[in-house]
């Protein structure tokens, strides 16, 4: 297992074809690459209890929750995860939320979108390959 400092947390929620982003102010947090056979990560966010209703609702209504986190430094690019909430704990006037999930490889997703766009524009065969090489 590898443990990293969690520097930022954003919940990305889709409600009726609208994307809602919840920036969560962290007091502290960790992210652990469990390095298990399922490639799962554990994210622990230590936050103020003002977020209790949001996290309880998400836990109740959503099987999967997309989160974006920054690891180690706020200047790092965010990593995206598909998670579920596995625990919400009150700690005095604060709380922690535990997420378990998998990292989303955004590079692969961007490449697939780019390729799909080129195919939609009518490129195929060698022409598709050449145009794709130009773009990447």
């Amino acid at each position: 297992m590898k443990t990293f400092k969690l520097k930022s947390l954003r919940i990305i929620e889709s409600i009726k074809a609208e994307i809602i982003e919840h920036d969560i102010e962290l007091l502290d947090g960790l992210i652990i690459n469990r390095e298990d056979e399922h490639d799962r990560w554990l994210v622990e966010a230590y936050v103020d209890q003002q977020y209790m209703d949001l996290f309880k609702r998400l836990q109740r209504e959503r099987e999967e929750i997309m989160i974006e986190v920054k690891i180690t430094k706020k200047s790092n690019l965010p990593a995206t995860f598909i998670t579920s909430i596995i625990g919400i704990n009150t700690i005095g006037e604060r709380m922690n939320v535990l997420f378990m999930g998998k990292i989303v490889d955004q590079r692969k997703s961007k490449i697939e979108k780019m390729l799909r766009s080129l195919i939609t524009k009518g490129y195929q065969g060698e022409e598709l390959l050449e145009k794709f090489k130009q773009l990447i």
Side-chain angles (χ1 to χ4, degrees):
M1 287 195 290
K2 294 179 185 161
T3 303
F4 306 92
K5 181 83 169 149
L6 185 65
K7 294 308 252 180
S8 75
L9 172 64
R10 174 179 287 155
I11 309 294
I12 301 170
E13 189 176 17
S14 175
I15 301 175
K16 297 180 183 175
E18 187 178 342
I19 302 296
I20 309 284
E21 295 181 352
H22 305 277
D23 286 316
I24 307 299
E25 187 177 330
L26 293 173
L27 299 170
D28 205 356
L30 293 173
I31 182 163
I32 301 169
N33 180 348
R34 294 173 47 111
E35 297 180 329
D36 62 12
E37 64 275 2
H38 302 291
D39 297 322
R40 293 179 300 173
W41 292 67
L42 178 69
V43 178
E44 179 187 13
Y46 183 59
V47 298
D48 192 81
Q49 279 199 33
Q50 71 182 7
Y51 299 108
M52 181 68 82
D53 291 342
L54 170 66
F55 288 122
K56 289 279 190 186
R57 179 182 61 78
L58 289 170
Q59 186 179 40
R60 186 177 58 251
E61 294 177 3
R62 306 263 182 209
E63 200 169 302
E64 291 186 332
I65 300 164
M66 183 179 293
I67 63 173
E68 264 187 6
V69 301
K70 289 189 179 180
I71 302 169
T72 309
K73 297 187 290 187
K74 282 197 176 192
S75 60
N76 284 343
L77 292 173
T80 304
F81 292 82
I82 301 296
T83 66
S84 23
I85 294 176
I86 61 167
I88 298 174
N89 304 291
T90 301
I91 303 170
E93 294 181 14
R94 310 261 165 83
M95 62 184 280
N96 78 345
V97 182
L98 300 170
F99 299 88
M100 182 74 73
K102 291 188 173 195
I103 194 165
V104 175
D105 188 345
Q106 289 188 322
R107 292 171 300 188
K108 181 179 175 185
S109 176
K110 287 178 183 176
I111 288 171
E112 287 174 5
K113 284 181 185 175
M114 187 185 312
L115 192 54
R116 190 175 310 279
S117 171
L118 291 172
I119 291 169
T120 303
K121 291 177 181 174
Y123 291 99
Q124 50 184 283
E126 284 300 313
E127 186 182 32
L128 173 62
L129 182 59
E130 288 306 311
K131 189 67 174 175
F132 184 72
K133 284 179 182 179
Q134 288 173 6
L135 291 175
I136 59 170

